[in-house]
Amino acid sequence: MSASKPLIGISTYLERTRFGHWDVEAAVLYRGYLDCVVRAGGNPVMLPPVGTWTAETIGFLDGLVIAGGADVDPAAYGAEPHPKTGEPRRDRDDAEFALVAAALKLDLPVLGVCRGMQVLNVALGGTLHQHIEGHNPAPGVFEHTGIAVDPGTRLHAILGDRTDVQCHHHQSLDRVADGLRVTARASDGTVEAVELEGARFVVGVQSHPEQDIEDLRLFEALVDAARRSA
């Protein structure tokens, strides 16, 4: 581990991908995550949803990002699927639940992004609203949403009282897991951020901070926490 360049693991996903002459399944990740980690002072490490993720196998990391993506399987929180819930990606669910459990065991700094915040909530025993309106305007289009941040929270120290974020989700937190504190909401009451009480740094945001590489505040906070825990 390097105090100057913490290693930040980022979960990835398996997708059919075309490059060069090839059309194959590959582990992929939006580049914005990588650029934000690098610009914030860390070194990114891509973690595919294959293999075995435990405290022992991720012990080389200094921090973790659970990236955005597909809907969490409702079976993971004891619910039947809503008609608008996407097909389950159980390989990714299993891998990311394991990554969260390992990171919490190690007290690694964690940033959950969109789906990543939902994974964190479900992993700790919470549930999700499977469909809401107003935060997912069109495929590939992000909704600019104003959020209010609770004072006295870690997120408030990072972002201040209010900020605009980019959202693209049709699910959100319903029952918040024990130990998680809601730290920000949208004007319609949607939970926009949580943090785990008593942890070194475990923050989930419903938005996509990797979409703005000019605003590195969340990634800088993660890398700084990783550097201090290295």
Side-chain angles (χ1 to χ4, degrees), residues 110-133:
V110 177
L111 175 62
V113 174
C114 194
R115 167 193 159 90
M117 182 177 84
Q118 297 169 8
V119 166
L120 177 64
N121 188 55
V122 173
L124 293 173
T127 64
L128 304 178
H129 293 294
Q130 292 188 51
H131 185 71
I132 63 171
E133 300 289 347

Side-chain angles (χ1 to χ4, degrees), residues 90-103:
R90 295 189 180 94
D91 57 346
R92 189 173 178 193
D93 288 351
D94 291 345
E96 292 182 347
F97 289 144
L99 284 168
V100 167

Side-chain angles (χ1 to χ4, degrees), residues 11-230:
S11 65
T12 68
Y13 36 100
L14 300 178
E15 296 289 350
R16 198 76 188 177
T17 307
R18 297 184 64 181
F19 51 93
H21 298 291
W22 309 105
D23 183 350
V24 296
E25 191 172 52
V28 300
L29 178 71
Y30 173 67
R31 180 175 171 170
Y33 290 100
L34 307 176
D35 290 338
C36 284
V37 167
V38 169
R39 293 186 65 174
N43 275 332
V45 178
M46 294 172 63
L47 306 174
V50 295
T52 302
W53 299 115
T54 65
E56 290 72 28
T57 60
I58 71 165
F60 68 99
L61 295 174
D62 301 309
L64 176 68
V65 176
I66 302 296
D71 295 340
V72 177
D73 185 356
Y77 47 95
E80 293 296 320
H82 185 280
K84 293 189 177 182
T85 296
E87 286 296 315
R89 303 291 293 270
R90 295 189 180 94
D91 57 346
R92 189 173 178 193
D93 288 351
D94 291 345
E96 292 182 347
F97 289 144
L99 284 168
V100 167
L104 295 183
K105 183 176 181 180
L106 294 170
D107 198 22
L108 281 183
V110 177
L111 175 62
V113 174
C114 194
R115 167 193 159 90
M117 182 177 84
Q118 297 169 8
V119 166
L120 177 64
N121 188 55
V122 173
L124 293 173
T127 64
L128 304 178
H129 293 294
Q130 292 188 51
H131 185 71
I132 63 171
E133 300 289 347
H135 295 261
N136 186 1
V141 177
F142 289 85
E143 175 73 23
H144 290 264
T145 303
I147 65 171
V149 184
D150 287 354
T153 62
R154 182 182 297 276
L155 192 70
H156 188 272
I158 299 168
L159 300 179
D161 293 326
R162 303 189 64 85
T163 192
D164 289 331
V165 297
Q166 297 191 58
C167 289
H168 186 79
H169 63 96
H170 81 112
Q171 300 196 332
S172 65
L173 268 58
D174 182 9
R175 187 180 74 248
V176 178
D178 291 344
L180 286 181
R181 176 182 179 181
V182 176
T183 59
R185 292 184 184 270
S187 59
D188 64 0
T190 299
V191 175
E192 286 290 336
V194 294
E195 59 190 50
L196 182 61
E197 296 178 320
R200 184 190 304 272
F201 183 102
V202 177
V203 172
V205 293
Q206 189 59 74
S207 57
H208 283 269
E210 82 286 354
Q211 292 297 314
D212 185 358
I213 62 171
E214 300 304 319
D215 184 354
L216 296 172
R217 289 177 292 176
L218 280 166
F219 285 94
E220 287 173 340
L222 172 70
V223 170
D224 181 61
R227 183 178 292 115
R228 286 185 281 110
S229 66

